[in-house]
Short mmCIF file of all heavy atoms in Angstrom, two decimals:
data_model
loop_
_atom_site.label_atom_id
_atom_site.label_comp_id
_atom_site.label_asym_id
_atom_site.label_seq_id
_atom_site.Cartn_x
_atom_site.Cartn_y
_atom_site.Cartn_z
N ASP A 133 -34.24 -0.80 0.82
CA ASP A 133 -33.88 -0.30 2.15
C ASP A 133 -32.87 0.84 2.02
O ASP A 133 -32.97 1.86 2.72
CB ASP A 133 -33.29 -1.42 3.01
CG ASP A 133 -34.28 -2.53 3.30
OD1 ASP A 133 -35.50 -2.26 3.26
OD2 ASP A 133 -33.84 -3.67 3.55
N MET A 134 -31.91 0.68 1.13
CA MET A 134 -30.90 1.72 0.94
C MET A 134 -31.53 3.00 0.38
O MET A 134 -31.18 4.11 0.79
CB MET A 134 -29.80 1.20 0.00
CG MET A 134 -28.97 0.08 0.61
SD MET A 134 -27.89 -0.75 -0.59
CE MET A 134 -26.69 0.54 -0.91
N ALA A 135 -32.46 2.85 -0.54
CA ALA A 135 -33.11 4.01 -1.14
C ALA A 135 -33.93 4.78 -0.11
O ALA A 135 -34.14 6.00 -0.25
CB ALA A 135 -34.00 3.57 -2.30
N ARG A 136 -34.40 4.10 0.92
CA ARG A 136 -35.25 4.73 1.94
C ARG A 136 -34.46 5.30 3.11
O ARG A 136 -35.04 5.82 4.06
CB ARG A 136 -36.30 3.74 2.43
CG ARG A 136 -37.32 3.34 1.37
CD ARG A 136 -38.43 2.47 1.96
NE ARG A 136 -39.42 2.12 0.96
CZ ARG A 136 -39.48 0.95 0.32
NH1 ARG A 136 -38.56 0.00 0.60
NH2 ARG A 136 -40.41 0.70 -0.57
N THR A 137 -33.15 5.18 3.09
CA THR A 137 -32.35 5.78 4.16
C THR A 137 -32.35 7.30 4.01
O THR A 137 -32.86 7.84 3.02
CB THR A 137 -30.89 5.29 4.13
OG1 THR A 137 -30.26 5.79 2.92
CG2 THR A 137 -30.81 3.76 4.16
N ASN A 138 -31.74 7.97 4.96
CA ASN A 138 -31.58 9.42 4.87
C ASN A 138 -30.15 9.79 4.49
O ASN A 138 -29.74 10.95 4.71
CB ASN A 138 -31.97 10.08 6.20
CG ASN A 138 -33.45 9.96 6.48
OD1 ASN A 138 -34.27 10.13 5.58
ND2 ASN A 138 -33.80 9.65 7.73
N HIS A 139 -29.42 8.83 3.95
CA HIS A 139 -28.01 9.06 3.60
C HIS A 139 -27.87 9.22 2.09
O HIS A 139 -28.14 8.29 1.33
CB HIS A 139 -27.15 7.89 4.09
CG HIS A 139 -25.69 8.10 3.90
ND1 HIS A 139 -24.92 7.30 3.09
CD2 HIS A 139 -24.85 9.05 4.40
CE1 HIS A 139 -23.68 7.72 3.10
NE2 HIS A 139 -23.60 8.78 3.89
N LEU A 140 -27.48 10.42 1.67
CA LEU A 140 -27.42 10.77 0.25
C LEU A 140 -26.67 9.74 -0.59
O LEU A 140 -27.13 9.30 -1.64
CB LEU A 140 -26.76 12.15 0.11
CG LEU A 140 -26.47 12.63 -1.31
CD1 LEU A 140 -27.76 12.86 -2.07
CD2 LEU A 140 -25.63 13.92 -1.28
N TRP A 141 -25.49 9.35 -0.11
CA TRP A 141 -24.64 8.49 -0.94
C TRP A 141 -25.16 7.05 -0.97
O TRP A 141 -25.06 6.37 -2.00
CB TRP A 141 -23.19 8.57 -0.45
CG TRP A 141 -22.72 9.99 -0.39
CD1 TRP A 141 -22.34 10.69 0.72
CD2 TRP A 141 -22.64 10.91 -1.48
NE1 TRP A 141 -22.01 11.98 0.39
CE2 TRP A 141 -22.19 12.15 -0.96
CE3 TRP A 141 -22.90 10.82 -2.85
CZ2 TRP A 141 -21.99 13.27 -1.75
CZ3 TRP A 141 -22.72 11.95 -3.64
CH2 TRP A 141 -22.26 13.15 -3.09
N THR A 142 -25.73 6.59 0.12
CA THR A 142 -26.35 5.27 0.12
C THR A 142 -27.53 5.24 -0.85
O THR A 142 -27.73 4.26 -1.58
CB THR A 142 -26.82 4.89 1.53
OG1 THR A 142 -25.69 4.84 2.40
CG2 THR A 142 -27.52 3.53 1.55
N GLN A 143 -28.29 6.31 -0.88
CA GLN A 143 -29.42 6.40 -1.80
C GLN A 143 -28.93 6.42 -3.25
O GLN A 143 -29.53 5.77 -4.12
CB GLN A 143 -30.24 7.65 -1.48
CG GLN A 143 -30.96 7.56 -0.15
CD GLN A 143 -31.57 8.89 0.26
OE1 GLN A 143 -30.92 9.94 0.22
NE2 GLN A 143 -32.84 8.86 0.65
N ARG A 144 -27.86 7.14 -3.52
CA ARG A 144 -27.33 7.16 -4.89
C ARG A 144 -26.78 5.79 -5.27
O ARG A 144 -26.94 5.35 -6.40
CB ARG A 144 -26.28 8.25 -5.04
CG ARG A 144 -25.84 8.42 -6.50
CD ARG A 144 -25.04 9.67 -6.73
NE ARG A 144 -24.49 9.71 -8.08
CZ ARG A 144 -24.82 10.60 -9.01
NH1 ARG A 144 -25.74 11.52 -8.77
NH2 ARG A 144 -24.25 10.56 -10.21
N ILE A 145 -26.14 5.11 -4.32
CA ILE A 145 -25.66 3.75 -4.59
C ILE A 145 -26.82 2.86 -5.01
O ILE A 145 -26.72 2.07 -5.96
CB ILE A 145 -24.95 3.16 -3.36
CG1 ILE A 145 -23.59 3.84 -3.14
CG2 ILE A 145 -24.75 1.65 -3.51
CD1 ILE A 145 -22.94 3.50 -1.81
N ALA A 146 -27.96 2.99 -4.33
CA ALA A 146 -29.12 2.14 -4.62
C ALA A 146 -29.58 2.28 -6.06
O ALA A 146 -29.81 1.27 -6.75
CB ALA A 146 -30.27 2.47 -3.67
N ILE A 147 -29.71 3.51 -6.56
CA ILE A 147 -30.20 3.69 -7.92
C ILE A 147 -29.12 3.38 -8.96
O ILE A 147 -29.39 2.76 -9.99
CB ILE A 147 -30.79 5.12 -8.12
CG1 ILE A 147 -31.46 5.25 -9.48
CG2 ILE A 147 -29.78 6.20 -7.90
CD1 ILE A 147 -32.71 4.42 -9.67
N ILE A 148 -27.87 3.75 -8.69
CA ILE A 148 -26.81 3.48 -9.66
C ILE A 148 -26.51 1.99 -9.76
O ILE A 148 -26.14 1.49 -10.82
CB ILE A 148 -25.52 4.27 -9.32
CG1 ILE A 148 -25.79 5.78 -9.36
CG2 ILE A 148 -24.38 3.90 -10.26
CD1 ILE A 148 -26.19 6.31 -10.73
N ALA A 149 -26.69 1.24 -8.67
CA ALA A 149 -26.48 -0.21 -8.71
C ALA A 149 -27.38 -0.87 -9.75
O ALA A 149 -27.01 -1.87 -10.36
CB ALA A 149 -26.74 -0.82 -7.33
N THR A 150 -28.57 -0.29 -9.98
CA THR A 150 -29.50 -0.90 -10.94
C THR A 150 -29.02 -0.78 -12.38
O THR A 150 -29.57 -1.43 -13.27
CB THR A 150 -30.91 -0.29 -10.84
OG1 THR A 150 -30.90 1.06 -11.34
CG2 THR A 150 -31.41 -0.30 -9.40
N TRP A 151 -28.01 0.01 -12.61
CA TRP A 151 -27.43 0.13 -13.96
C TRP A 151 -26.96 -1.23 -14.45
O TRP A 151 -27.05 -1.53 -15.65
CB TRP A 151 -26.29 1.14 -13.89
CG TRP A 151 -25.72 1.60 -15.21
CD1 TRP A 151 -26.17 1.31 -16.46
CD2 TRP A 151 -24.58 2.44 -15.38
NE1 TRP A 151 -25.40 1.92 -17.41
CE2 TRP A 151 -24.41 2.63 -16.76
CE3 TRP A 151 -23.71 3.06 -14.49
CZ2 TRP A 151 -23.38 3.40 -17.28
CZ3 TRP A 151 -22.69 3.83 -15.00
CH2 TRP A 151 -22.52 4.01 -16.38
N TYR A 152 -26.45 -2.04 -13.54
CA TYR A 152 -26.01 -3.38 -13.94
C TYR A 152 -27.20 -4.19 -14.46
O TYR A 152 -27.10 -4.89 -15.47
CB TYR A 152 -25.35 -4.11 -12.76
CG TYR A 152 -24.65 -5.38 -13.19
CD1 TYR A 152 -23.34 -5.35 -13.64
CD2 TYR A 152 -25.31 -6.61 -13.17
CE1 TYR A 152 -22.69 -6.50 -14.06
CE2 TYR A 152 -24.68 -7.77 -13.59
CZ TYR A 152 -23.37 -7.71 -14.04
OH TYR A 152 -22.75 -8.85 -14.47
N PHE A 153 -28.34 -4.09 -13.79
CA PHE A 153 -29.53 -4.81 -14.22
C PHE A 153 -30.04 -4.27 -15.56
O PHE A 153 -30.50 -5.04 -16.41
CB PHE A 153 -30.64 -4.71 -13.17
CG PHE A 153 -30.21 -4.99 -11.76
CD1 PHE A 153 -30.80 -4.32 -10.70
CD2 PHE A 153 -29.21 -5.91 -11.49
CE1 PHE A 153 -30.41 -4.55 -9.40
CE2 PHE A 153 -28.80 -6.16 -10.18
CZ PHE A 153 -29.41 -5.47 -9.14
N ILE A 154 -29.97 -2.96 -15.73
CA ILE A 154 -30.40 -2.34 -16.99
C ILE A 154 -29.62 -2.94 -18.16
O ILE A 154 -30.18 -3.26 -19.21
CB ILE A 154 -30.21 -0.82 -16.94
CG1 ILE A 154 -31.16 -0.18 -15.93
CG2 ILE A 154 -30.42 -0.19 -18.33
CD1 ILE A 154 -30.88 1.28 -15.63
N ASN A 155 -28.32 -3.10 -17.96
CA ASN A 155 -27.49 -3.66 -19.03
C ASN A 155 -27.86 -5.12 -19.34
O ASN A 155 -27.48 -5.64 -20.39
CB ASN A 155 -26.01 -3.56 -18.65
CG ASN A 155 -25.50 -2.13 -18.73
OD1 ASN A 155 -26.07 -1.29 -19.43
ND2 ASN A 155 -24.45 -1.81 -18.00
N LYS A 156 -28.58 -5.75 -18.41
CA LYS A 156 -29.06 -7.12 -18.61
C LYS A 156 -30.54 -7.13 -19.00
O LYS A 156 -31.20 -8.16 -18.95
CB LYS A 156 -28.86 -7.94 -17.34
CG LYS A 156 -27.42 -8.03 -16.86
CD LYS A 156 -26.57 -8.84 -17.79
CE LYS A 156 -25.15 -9.02 -17.22
NZ LYS A 156 -24.29 -9.84 -18.12
N ASN A 157 -31.06 -5.96 -19.38
CA ASN A 157 -32.46 -5.80 -19.81
C ASN A 157 -33.46 -6.09 -18.70
O ASN A 157 -34.57 -6.58 -18.95
CB ASN A 157 -32.76 -6.68 -21.03
CG ASN A 157 -31.89 -6.32 -22.22
OD1 ASN A 157 -31.79 -5.15 -22.60
ND2 ASN A 157 -31.24 -7.31 -22.80
N GLN A 158 -33.08 -5.78 -17.47
CA GLN A 158 -33.98 -5.92 -16.33
C GLN A 158 -34.19 -4.53 -15.74
O GLN A 158 -33.26 -3.91 -15.25
CB GLN A 158 -33.38 -6.87 -15.29
CG GLN A 158 -33.20 -8.29 -15.78
CD GLN A 158 -32.61 -9.21 -14.72
OE1 GLN A 158 -32.49 -8.84 -13.57
NE2 GLN A 158 -32.25 -10.41 -15.13
N TYR A 159 -35.44 -4.06 -15.77
CA TYR A 159 -35.71 -2.67 -15.45
C TYR A 159 -36.54 -2.44 -14.18
O TYR A 159 -36.68 -1.31 -13.73
CB TYR A 159 -36.44 -2.00 -16.63
CG TYR A 159 -35.78 -2.21 -17.97
CD1 TYR A 159 -36.54 -2.44 -19.11
CD2 TYR A 159 -34.38 -2.18 -18.11
CE1 TYR A 159 -35.94 -2.63 -20.35
CE2 TYR A 159 -33.78 -2.37 -19.34
CZ TYR A 159 -34.57 -2.59 -20.46
OH TYR A 159 -33.98 -2.78 -21.69
N GLU A 160 -37.11 -3.49 -13.63
CA GLU A 160 -38.07 -3.33 -12.54
C GLU A 160 -37.48 -2.56 -11.37
O GLU A 160 -38.10 -1.64 -10.82
CB GLU A 160 -38.58 -4.68 -12.07
CG GLU A 160 -39.58 -4.57 -10.92
CD GLU A 160 -40.05 -5.92 -10.41
OE1 GLU A 160 -39.64 -6.96 -10.95
OE2 GLU A 160 -40.83 -5.93 -9.45
N GLU A 161 -36.28 -2.94 -10.93
CA GLU A 161 -35.68 -2.28 -9.76
C GLU A 161 -35.46 -0.79 -10.02
O GLU A 161 -35.67 0.03 -9.13
CB GLU A 161 -34.37 -2.94 -9.36
CG GLU A 161 -34.51 -4.04 -8.33
CD GLU A 161 -35.16 -5.29 -8.91
OE1 GLU A 161 -34.91 -5.60 -10.08
OE2 GLU A 161 -35.92 -5.94 -8.18
N THR A 162 -35.03 -0.45 -11.22
CA THR A 162 -34.79 0.97 -11.51
C THR A 162 -36.08 1.77 -11.39
O THR A 162 -36.11 2.83 -10.75
CB THR A 162 -34.22 1.13 -12.92
OG1 THR A 162 -33.04 0.33 -13.06
CG2 THR A 162 -33.83 2.60 -13.18
N PHE A 163 -37.15 1.28 -11.98
CA PHE A 163 -38.42 2.01 -11.90
C PHE A 163 -38.92 2.12 -10.46
O PHE A 163 -39.36 3.19 -10.03
CB PHE A 163 -39.49 1.30 -12.75
CG PHE A 163 -39.32 1.49 -14.23
CD1 PHE A 163 -39.29 0.40 -15.09
CD2 PHE A 163 -39.18 2.76 -14.77
CE1 PHE A 163 -39.14 0.57 -16.45
CE2 PHE A 163 -39.02 2.94 -16.14
CZ PHE A 163 -39.01 1.84 -16.99
N ARG A 164 -38.84 1.04 -9.71
CA ARG A 164 -39.36 1.05 -8.34
C ARG A 164 -38.52 1.95 -7.43
O ARG A 164 -39.06 2.69 -6.60
CB ARG A 164 -39.41 -0.38 -7.80
CG ARG A 164 -40.48 -1.24 -8.45
CD ARG A 164 -40.45 -2.67 -7.94
NE ARG A 164 -40.70 -2.72 -6.50
CZ ARG A 164 -40.53 -3.81 -5.76
NH1 ARG A 164 -40.06 -4.93 -6.32
NH2 ARG A 164 -40.77 -3.79 -4.47
N ILE A 165 -37.20 1.89 -7.58
CA ILE A 165 -36.34 2.73 -6.75
C ILE A 165 -36.45 4.19 -7.18
O ILE A 165 -36.45 5.10 -6.35
CB ILE A 165 -34.89 2.22 -6.79
CG1 ILE A 165 -34.81 0.86 -6.07
CG2 ILE A 165 -33.93 3.23 -6.15
CD1 ILE A 165 -33.50 0.15 -6.21
N ALA A 166 -36.56 4.42 -8.49
CA ALA A 166 -36.77 5.79 -8.98
C ALA A 166 -38.02 6.39 -8.35
O ALA A 166 -38.02 7.55 -7.92
CB ALA A 166 -36.88 5.80 -10.50
N GLU A 167 -39.08 5.60 -8.26
CA GLU A 167 -40.32 6.10 -7.69
C GLU A 167 -40.14 6.47 -6.21
O GLU A 167 -40.68 7.47 -5.74
CB GLU A 167 -41.43 5.06 -7.85
CG GLU A 167 -42.83 5.64 -7.75
CD GLU A 167 -43.86 4.84 -8.51
OE1 GLU A 167 -43.60 3.65 -8.79
OE2 GLU A 167 -44.93 5.41 -8.79
N ILE A 168 -39.37 5.67 -5.49
CA ILE A 168 -39.08 5.98 -4.09
C ILE A 168 -38.36 7.32 -3.97
O ILE A 168 -38.61 8.10 -3.06
CB ILE A 168 -38.23 4.86 -3.46
CG1 ILE A 168 -39.04 3.56 -3.33
CG2 ILE A 168 -37.69 5.28 -2.09
CD1 ILE A 168 -38.20 2.36 -2.93
N LEU A 169 -37.48 7.59 -4.93
CA LEU A 169 -36.60 8.76 -4.83
C LEU A 169 -37.15 10.01 -5.50
O LEU A 169 -36.49 11.06 -5.47
CB LEU A 169 -35.23 8.41 -5.44
CG LEU A 169 -34.43 7.33 -4.71
CD1 LEU A 169 -33.19 6.96 -5.50
CD2 LEU A 169 -34.06 7.77 -3.30
N LEU A 170 -38.33 9.95 -6.09
CA LEU A 170 -38.87 11.11 -6.80
C LEU A 170 -39.07 12.31 -5.88
O LEU A 170 -38.98 13.46 -6.32
CB LEU A 170 -40.20 10.76 -7.48
CG LEU A 170 -40.12 9.88 -8.73
CD1 LEU A 170 -41.51 9.67 -9.31
CD2 LEU A 170 -39.19 10.49 -9.77
N SER A 171 -39.32 12.06 -4.62
CA SER A 171 -39.56 13.17 -3.68
C SER A 171 -38.27 13.67 -3.03
O SER A 171 -38.32 14.56 -2.17
CB SER A 171 -40.54 12.73 -2.60
OG SER A 171 -40.01 11.64 -1.85
N HIS A 172 -37.14 13.13 -3.43
CA HIS A 172 -35.86 13.53 -2.83
C HIS A 172 -35.57 15.00 -3.13
O HIS A 172 -35.93 15.52 -4.18
CB HIS A 172 -34.73 12.66 -3.38
CG HIS A 172 -33.55 12.56 -2.47
ND1 HIS A 172 -32.63 13.58 -2.33
CD2 HIS A 172 -33.14 11.57 -1.63
CE1 HIS A 172 -31.70 13.22 -1.45
NE2 HIS A 172 -31.99 12.01 -1.01
N LYS A 173 -34.89 15.66 -2.21
CA LYS A 173 -34.63 17.10 -2.34
C LYS A 173 -33.33 17.43 -3.07
O LYS A 173 -33.14 18.56 -3.51
CB LYS A 173 -34.61 17.76 -0.95
CG LYS A 173 -35.88 17.54 -0.13
CD LYS A 173 -37.10 18.09 -0.84
CE LYS A 173 -38.35 17.92 0.03
NZ LYS A 173 -39.58 18.35 -0.69
N HIS A 174 -32.42 16.47 -3.19
CA HIS A 174 -31.08 16.78 -3.69
C HIS A 174 -30.96 16.52 -5.19
O HIS A 174 -31.39 15.48 -5.68
CB HIS A 174 -30.03 15.97 -2.94
CG HIS A 174 -28.68 16.62 -2.91
ND1 HIS A 174 -27.92 16.79 -4.04
CD2 HIS A 174 -27.96 17.16 -1.89
CE1 HIS A 174 -26.78 17.39 -3.72
NE2 HIS A 174 -26.79 17.63 -2.42
N ASP A 175 -30.33 17.46 -5.90
CA ASP A 175 -30.23 17.29 -7.35
C ASP A 175 -29.29 16.16 -7.75
O ASP A 175 -29.38 15.65 -8.88
CB ASP A 175 -29.83 18.60 -8.03
CG ASP A 175 -28.37 19.00 -7.80
OD1 ASP A 175 -27.78 18.56 -6.79
OD2 ASP A 175 -27.83 19.76 -8.62
N LEU A 176 -28.39 15.73 -6.86
CA LEU A 176 -27.54 14.59 -7.19
C LEU A 176 -28.34 13.30 -7.29
O LEU A 176 -27.97 12.37 -8.01
CB LEU A 176 -26.42 14.43 -6.15
CG LEU A 176 -25.29 15.44 -6.25
CD1 LEU A 176 -24.31 15.24 -5.09
CD2 LEU A 176 -24.56 15.33 -7.58
N ILE A 177 -29.45 13.23 -6.58
CA ILE A 177 -30.36 12.09 -6.71
C ILE A 177 -31.23 12.29 -7.95
O ILE A 177 -31.47 11.34 -8.71
CB ILE A 177 -31.22 11.92 -5.45
CG1 ILE A 177 -30.34 11.61 -4.24
CG2 ILE A 177 -32.26 10.82 -5.66
CD1 ILE A 177 -29.55 10.31 -4.34
N HIS A 178 -31.70 13.50 -8.18
CA HIS A 178 -32.49 13.78 -9.39
C HIS A 178 -31.70 13.40 -10.65
O HIS A 178 -32.23 12.77 -11.56
CB HIS A 178 -32.85 15.27 -9.47
CG HIS A 178 -33.58 15.77 -8.27
ND1 HIS A 178 -33.78 17.12 -8.04
CD2 HIS A 178 -34.17 15.13 -7.23
CE1 HIS A 178 -34.45 17.29 -6.91
NE2 HIS A 178 -34.69 16.09 -6.39
N LYS A 179 -30.43 13.78 -10.67
CA LYS A 179 -29.58 13.48 -11.83
C LYS A 179 -29.40 11.97 -12.00
O LYS A 179 -29.43 11.45 -13.12
CB LYS A 179 -28.22 14.16 -11.68
CG LYS A 179 -28.29 15.68 -11.82
CD LYS A 179 -26.95 16.33 -11.53
CE LYS A 179 -27.03 17.85 -11.65
NZ LYS A 179 -25.73 18.51 -11.35
N ALA A 180 -29.18 11.28 -10.88
CA ALA A 180 -28.97 9.83 -10.95
C ALA A 180 -30.23 9.11 -11.44
O ALA A 180 -30.16 8.20 -12.27
CB ALA A 180 -28.54 9.29 -9.59
N VAL A 181 -31.38 9.52 -10.93
CA VAL A 181 -32.64 8.92 -11.35
C VAL A 181 -32.87 9.16 -12.85
O VAL A 181 -33.17 8.22 -13.61
CB VAL A 181 -33.82 9.49 -10.54
CG1 VAL A 181 -35.16 9.12 -11.18
CG2 VAL A 181 -33.77 8.97 -9.10
N GLY A 182 -32.69 10.40 -13.29
CA GLY A 182 -32.87 10.71 -14.71
C GLY A 182 -31.89 9.97 -15.59
O GLY A 182 -32.26 9.49 -16.68
N TRP A 183 -30.67 9.85 -15.13
CA TRP A 183 -29.64 9.13 -15.88
C TRP A 183 -30.02 7.67 -16.08
O TRP A 183 -29.95 7.14 -17.19
CB TRP A 183 -28.32 9.28 -15.14
CG TRP A 183 -27.16 8.50 -15.66
CD1 TRP A 183 -27.01 7.95 -16.91
CD2 TRP A 183 -25.96 8.19 -14.95
NE1 TRP A 183 -25.80 7.32 -17.01
CE2 TRP A 183 -25.14 7.45 -15.82
CE3 TRP A 183 -25.52 8.46 -13.65
CZ2 TRP A 183 -23.88 6.97 -15.42
CZ3 TRP A 183 -24.27 8.00 -13.28
CH2 TRP A 183 -23.47 7.27 -14.15
N MET A 184 -30.46 7.01 -15.01
CA MET A 184 -30.83 5.60 -15.12
C MET A 184 -32.07 5.41 -15.99
O MET A 184 -32.15 4.46 -16.78
CB MET A 184 -31.04 4.98 -13.74
CG MET A 184 -29.77 4.86 -12.90
SD MET A 184 -28.47 3.88 -13.70
CE MET A 184 -27.35 5.20 -14.28
N LEU A 185 -33.03 6.32 -15.90
CA LEU A 185 -34.19 6.24 -16.78
C LEU A 185 -33.77 6.42 -18.24
O LEU A 185 -34.29 5.74 -19.14
CB LEU A 185 -35.22 7.31 -16.40
CG LEU A 185 -35.92 7.10 -15.05
CD1 LEU A 185 -36.82 8.30 -14.74
CD2 LEU A 185 -36.73 5.80 -15.03
N ARG A 186 -32.83 7.31 -18.47
CA ARG A 186 -32.31 7.51 -19.84
C ARG A 186 -31.64 6.24 -20.36
O ARG A 186 -31.78 5.89 -21.54
CB ARG A 186 -31.33 8.68 -19.86
CG ARG A 186 -30.83 9.01 -21.27
CD ARG A 186 -29.92 10.23 -21.22
NE ARG A 186 -28.62 9.93 -20.64
CZ ARG A 186 -28.05 10.65 -19.67
NH1 ARG A 186 -28.67 11.68 -19.14
NH2 ARG A 186 -26.86 10.33 -19.23
N GLU A 187 -30.90 5.55 -19.49
CA GLU A 187 -30.25 4.31 -19.91
C GLU A 187 -31.28 3.26 -20.31
O GLU A 187 -31.08 2.52 -21.29
CB GLU A 187 -29.36 3.77 -18.78
CG GLU A 187 -28.13 4.62 -18.49
CD GLU A 187 -27.22 4.78 -19.70
OE1 GLU A 187 -26.93 3.75 -20.36
OE2 GLU A 187 -26.84 5.92 -20.00
#
Side-chain angles (χ1 to χ4, degrees):
D133 296 336
M134 292 169 70
R136 293 187 179 100
T137 67
N138 293 318
H139 186 243
L140 174 66
W141 306 117
T142 298
Q143 292 170 312
R144 187 167 172 115
I145 288 170
I147 187 67
I148 299 297
T150 70
W151 191 6
Y152 191 86
F153 312 147
I154 293 170
N155 288 337
K156 301 292 185 179
N157 300 309
Q158 296 180 9
Y159 309 141
E160 179 182 359
E161 268 71 36
T162 305
F163 286 128
R164 290 177 61 191
I165 292 171
E167 201 153 20
I168 292 170
L169 295 173
L170 287 182
S171 62
H172 205 283
K173 303 301 183 184
H174 206 293
D175 73 336
L176 285 175
I177 297 298
H178 304 168
K179 290 174 181 179
V181 167
W183 174 19
M184 292 302 103
L185 291 175
R186 184 177 73 230
E187 291 301 313

